[in-house]
Amino acid sequence: MNSGLLYALTGVGLFTLGLNALIMHAHLLRKILAINVMGSGVFLVLVALGGRVPGASPDPVPHAMVITGIVVAVSATALALALMLRVRAATGKPRLPEERQE
Amino acid sequence: MSVADRSRLPLVSRGVRLLLLALAGGLSYAVLSLPDQRVELSDQVSANMAASGVHNPVTAVLLNFRGYDTLLEMGVLLVALLGVWSLGTAVAHRRGGPGPVLSFLVEGLVPMMILMAGYLLWVGAAAPGGAFQAGSVLAAAGILLLLSSKRLPVRLVGRPLRLVLVLGLLAFVVVGVTLLSVNGIFLQYPPGLAGGLILFIEAAATLSIGVTLAALFLGGRPDSDT
Amino acid sequence: MLAGLADTPWSVLVILWPLVGALACFLWPRHANPLGLLAALGSVACVATLAWQVVEQGAQRHAVGGWGAPLGIDLYADGLSLLMLVMTAMVGLGISIYSSGYFDRKTAAVFWPLWLFLWTALNALLLSADIFNLYVTLELLGLAAVALVALAGGANALTAAMRYLLVSLLGSLCYLLGVALLYHSFGSVDIAILAQRVEPLPSVWAATGLMSAGLLLKTALFPLHFWLPPAHASAPAPVSAMLSALVVMASFYILLRLWLEIFPLSGAALGQLLGLLGAAAVLWGGIQALRQTRLKLLIAYSTVAQLGYLFLAFPLGTSFAWKGALYLLLSHALAKAAMFMAAGNILRFGGHDRIADLDRVVQRLPLTLTAFSLAGISLMGLPPSGGFIGKWLLLDAALYSGQWWWALILITGGLLTAAYVFKVVGYAFTPAEVSHEARTVPARMEWTALLLALAAVLLGLFALWPLTLLDIGSPLAGGYAG
């Protein structure tokens, strides 16, 4: 197993860990961070698998895709954070309604 | 935020963990079973580099071969800013000016960061760099300025600010439509002009990206906006 | 001049026109209403011209940048995407005219750029032939939709928007991981090339599961529908209309494309699962709609139920079944948009949307009530509406393939729909005890609702054109192709 595959498996691990955190945690900031971790996992898979063939130069197309993906993730995170602040201002708690009852 | 933040029952938690473990196992198996062949798309990229107008393959893919993705992505940035602006005005910045350390850093760092952004933009044609990287550094400079309580003068907030924000998208659309009317295909750069057109679009995009990201940091509409 | 018209790549202009309109509305916010309406009219004209071009010359493929797949990105306009584009244009025009009367000037300046960006994302999504490009358009669509939901302000809308954003991002990330696996298995992200190269590898199974899960989350199929009712109900009325009619349609369209072109090896099991979930959605959504006390929540649960019908086509898999599902999608878009607009009128008029107190309101809004009833006729599936044609095709396909139990679901769903539609309409015929203090509703808001509802009902009479359109260059061409 070369380093490309190892990083790709790490990406899969990040994706799953992020998904777990997204489901299990109630605080909105943690959910947003979980989404970011999942995103990093997906980007890692994209890039790492591009370099899994030993000795060949890395594939530039996944790199460009990941740059696009990072910009999209940053934009979405910014919107999510601003929304979270407004939710807290409107409801008093940075949580979604059903999570507050438990 | 305490450790006991988890809102789910322990049984649900155990079930979720098992399912996710299975998911991770399945995905790992899928990844490991991928055929070990070289992707011929990167060969196609290398073969067409001469016609692309730049020497850096990632920039070529981002601004030439798959430039349409980049166009849409600039739209995503702008929509996120529109969304943040629609939520309300900017969070009030704290009272009192910046401390001495911050002032010193801002005076020293911001000019260098602007220079660095320009360099990254220029070198993106041949080495790692380009519009997004330069735009991020520019945004960081902008955030430093915002942190030290500097704001745009009132007359620049409004149409001038909005113009800078859409500059990248506008450049893409104008270049694309011009080329469309000239030779019938959207965003097809003539081989001789490709390098120059890419630099033009990237320069506009750098400005837009930098200002958009800095404005996103502000968290809301600028106070003096309509 | 006609030769010039025929050579222009109208698919590009269909995407660029609303984009330029959005930028114009952003740069000149004081003139957002007229600029926005101009953009809407122009988009409809571009789509009409593209339709003419596709009908005359067949499916259109445009290689952006001149490179062509797999190096570049292709725009592909066939019968399926064209039909969705025409539907988007019709509903979009209606929503645009409605919104010009709904929002005050200050909110309109914020609404129009977001709405036109959403329309751009829809057009770009429907024309894209590249699965990574579809990811970017999905994100553009999602962010614009979330921002529009949050426009209503207030705790309900903001929490609904937050939940919607998290769900949307989760769906997109699952989709993107699937794209990564597909790319690294076959070396391309172009749909046509993937369709040729696809083999039953473990990574393809994983990608199928991931991408389907992500898209099902975005299409709100039971049990992943939890985010939809609060989001669609607490958004402003035109936003609810565009969400229920257009945004959920987009992810379903992508799922359909992938299913027909790249995942045909998925086999019967996954199709049966989708059919089961669809049936559950129809029943559960219908029952929940009956239980609601507020009009917009009722209509939102109705969307959950109607989306369930679409998934009944997956276990059937024949061309008739797909065409039935698409016809249902078409008529649902028109009918649901009309319904939400009617609800918006009622809300504007009476200041509330409590169903129990509607009798004091609807008697003074005859046009709105007619719109709501006509939309209900289409949702119930009564002739001659588009809903009837769609259900008829699905029933036919179900009985032909021997899977008669789906027919039962179709009939039960229709009965549930009738129940909750009559629950609302019934109040129009009860005498009002107390005369209500009324606010005026702008005429254009009532008329757009009525015209869209009328279109939904008349769609059944003009079924031939859309159904034959689906045969142009699309994977649905042919009789009983699976």
Side-chain angles (χ1 to χ4, degrees):
Chain A
M1 160 158 12
N2 57 28
S3 60
L5 282 176
L6 191 59
Y7 286 133
L9 290 179
T10 315
V12 167
L14 281 176
F15 181 81
T16 324
L17 283 173
L19 188 53
N20 180 50
L22 178 66
I23 298 175
M24 301 307 296
H25 287 283
H27 196 284
L28 282 174
L29 186 57
R30 290 199 176 176
K31 287 194 192 268
I32 297 174
L33 288 174
I35 293 272
N36 271 303
V37 168
M38 286 177 73
S40 302
V42 177
F43 301 150
L44 195 51
V45 169
L46 252 178
V47 170
L49 287 177
R52 72 182 185 276
V53 178
S57 59
D59 186 358
V61 176
H63 291 226
M65 289 184 188
V66 165
I67 291 183
T68 305
I70 291 177
V71 174
V72 166
V74 167
S75 315
T77 306
L79 183 58
L81 289 172
L83 251 184
M84 177 187 80
L85 288 177
R86 306 290 167 174
V87 165
R88 192 186 65 162
T91 64
K93 278 181 171 278
R95 284 156 201 257
L96 292 175
E98 63 270 0
E99 324 250 13
R100 271 185 235 123
Q101 285 138 23
E102 296 174 49
Chain B
M1 262 194 280
S2 66
V3 173
D5 194 21
R6 310 196 167 198
S7 62
R8 311 282 170 174
L9 306 167
L11 201 58
V12 174
S13 158
R14 178 97 56 84
V16 165
R17 281 202 201 129
L18 273 175
L19 272 173
L20 289 179
L21 211 57
L23 176 69
L27 288 176
S28 310
Y29 174 61
V31 163
L32 286 172
S33 69
L34 280 175
D36 219 16
Q37 78 229 7
R38 176 164 179 66
V39 174
E40 87 226 28
L41 190 51
S42 49
D43 293 331
Q44 268 195 309
V45 169
S46 320
N48 284 296
M49 281 306 295
S52 70
V54 292
H55 299 293
N56 178 4
V58 176
T59 306
V61 173
L62 210 45
L63 265 298
N64 194 341
F65 304 138
R66 298 184 68 94
Y68 175 53
D69 268 344
T70 311
L71 193 163
L72 287 179
E73 173 201 347
M74 312 266 328
V76 172
L77 255 180
L78 189 59
V79 165
L81 184 65
L82 284 174
V84 170
W85 275 14
S86 78
L87 289 173
T89 52
V91 181
H93 45 95
R94 62 164 131 217
R95 296 161 296 283
V101 176
L102 188 53
S103 301
F104 174 70
L105 277 178
V106 165
E107 282 172 28
L109 277 182
V110 169
M112 279 214 293
M113 286 167 101
I114 298 181
L115 265 181
M116 173 70 98
Y119 171 71
L120 279 175
L121 170 64
W122 177 257
V123 87
F132 293 103
Q133 295 82 336
S136 311
V137 175
L138 207 56
I143 292 177
L144 262 184
L145 287 172
L146 287 175
L147 279 175
S148 55
S149 303
K150 295 201 178 22
R151 295 285 184 270
L152 274 182
V154 174
R155 63 186 166 82
L156 285 185
V157 175
R159 182 97 22 90
L161 175 62
R162 292 182 177 224
L163 198 55
V164 172
L165 288 170
V166 304
L167 214 53
L169 258 179
L170 266 180
F172 247 123
V173 171
V174 163
V175 168
V177 169
T178 316
L179 291 171
L180 180 63
S181 48
V182 163
N183 57 20
I185 301 194
F186 186 58
L187 278 183
Q188 182 184 42
Y189 308 124
L193 290 175
L197 283 173
I198 289 180
L199 187 58
F200 169 69
I201 293 179
E202 283 203 297
T206 304
L207 262 180
S208 284
I209 294 169
V211 176
T212 309
L213 287 175
L216 278 173
F217 175 78
L218 209 51
R221 229 165 31 238
D223 292 332
S224 28
D225 197 48
T226 40
Chain C
M1 194 196 77
L2 263 181
L5 268 182
D7 290 330
T8 328
W10 285 101
S11 41
V12 176
L13 292 174
V14 159
I15 298 174
L16 287 183
W17 190 277
L19 177 61
V20 171
L23 295 177
C25 289
F26 181 62
L27 286 176
W28 290 282
R30 290 180 206 268
H31 307 284
N33 263 335
L35 284 172
L37 284 172
L38 189 61
L41 285 168
S43 304
V44 175
C46 289
V47 169
T49 323
L50 178 64
W52 167 78
Q53 196 179 35
V54 169
V55 167
E56 291 288 307
Q57 303 174 3
Q60 300 284 312
R61 184 176 276 266
H62 183 89
V64 177
W67 301 103
L71 192 58
I73 301 173
D74 279 354
L75 297 175
Y76 185 57
D78 65 1
L80 174 58
S81 46
L82 188 64
L83 195 58
M84 300 288 116
L85 277 172
V86 168
M87 174 188 89
T88 307
M90 279 169 66
V91 177
L93 184 61
I95 291 177
S96 302
I97 299 176
Y98 186 89
S99 309
S100 64
Y102 185 88
F103 292 107
D104 60 85
R105 263 239 332 224
K106 200 157 161 288
T107 324
V110 178
F111 168 79
W112 280 104
L114 282 171
W115 157 229
L116 289 171
F117 263 117
L118 194 144
W119 199 340
T120 310
L122 280 169
N123 287 353
L125 190 150
L126 292 169
L127 285 169
S128 178
D130 180 293
I131 52 178
F132 183 75
N133 189 247
L134 281 173
Y135 166 73
V136 184
T137 57
L138 269 177
E139 289 284 24
L140 185 60
L141 186 64
L143 289 187
V146 167
L148 284 166
V149 170
L151 265 188
N156 282 338
L158 289 173
T159 45
M162 184 81 236
R163 186 184 296 109
Y164 184 15
L165 181 57
L166 290 172
V167 162
S168 178
L169 291 175
L170 175 60
S172 306
L173 281 175
C174 292
Y175 176 84
L176 185 60
L177 189 54
V179 169
L181 288 173
L182 280 180
Y183 173 73
H184 286 293
S185 307
F186 304 114
S188 169
V189 281
D190 182 73
I191 292 183
I193 295 184
L194 280 174
Q196 286 168 355
R197 295 185 190 173
V198 74
E199 297 162 24
L201 297 173
S203 54
V204 175
W205 291 108
T208 307
L210 280 168
M211 291 167 97
S212 301
L215 291 170
L216 288 177
L217 193 52
K218 285 173 171 282
T219 318
L221 179 64
F222 184 92
L224 301 171
H225 66 286
F226 56 89
W227 57 270
L228 191 146
H232 288 208
S234 46
V239 175
S240 306
M242 67 179 77
L243 286 178
S244 267
L246 303 175
V247 176
V248 292
M249 169 273 294
S251 40
F252 179 77
Y253 164 84
I254 301 180
L255 186 62
L256 186 62
R257 272 261 182 230
L258 295 177
W259 188 272
L260 289 174
E261 306 211 30
I262 309 185
F263 307 153
L265 24 136
S266 308
L270 196 50
Q272 290 291 329
L273 177 64
L274 287 179
L276 267 167
L277 292 178
V282 169
L283 295 175
W284 202 83
I287 295 173
Q288 286 297 97
L290 269 176
R291 289 181 51 210
Q292 295 307 314
T293 53
R294 307 193 69 105
L295 184 59
K296 286 187 79 176
L297 269 174
L298 182 148
I299 305 178
Y301 274 104
S302 164
T303 302
V304 172
Q306 296 283 320
L307 289 173
Y309 286 130
L310 302 176
F311 288 93
L312 295 180
F314 282 85
L316 296 171
T318 63
S319 176
F320 263 28
W322 295 122
K323 290 186 180 179
L326 284 168
Y327 220 79
L328 270 181
L329 191 57
L330 218 60
S331 28
H332 174 254
L334 292 165
K336 196 44 69 71
M339 251 195 192
F340 267 120
M341 287 183 189
N345 293 343
I346 292 173
L347 205 59
R348 171 66 56 93
F349 182 82
H352 72 87
D353 70 336
R354 289 186 304 275
I355 300 179
D357 297 328
L358 276 182
D359 54 354
R360 301 169 196 168
V361 172
V362 298
Q363 292 174 8
R364 309 268 294 274
L365 292 173
L367 285 177
T368 300
L369 184 64
T370 317
F372 191 93
S373 315
L374 287 176
I377 287 180
S378 179
L379 288 182
M380 283 188 262
L382 295 176
S385 66
F388 170 71
I389 301 283
K391 283 199 181 172
W392 181 258
L393 286 169
L394 274 176
L395 262 168
D396 202 40
L399 293 172
Y400 181 85
S401 65
Q403 302 182 41
W404 50 268
W405 47 88
W406 305 122
L408 268 180
I409 299 290
L410 280 164
I411 297 172
T412 318
L415 289 174
L416 280 170
T417 313
Y420 61 73
V421 168
F422 282 129
K423 177 177 163 177
V424 176
V425 173
Y427 280 102
F429 297 102
T430 62
E433 302 116 40
V434 178
S435 176
H436 194 89
E437 185 74 37
R439 289 178 56 192
T440 52
V441 178
R444 66 183 82 178
M445 281 167 63
E446 291 205 81
W447 278 102
T448 40
L450 183 60
L451 287 172
L452 280 179
L454 212 54
V457 169
L458 292 178
L459 204 55
L461 293 175
F462 302 106
L464 196 58
W465 186 77
L467 289 175
T468 49
L469 192 61
L470 282 172
D471 286 332
I472 302 180
S474 86
L476 294 172
Y480 290 96

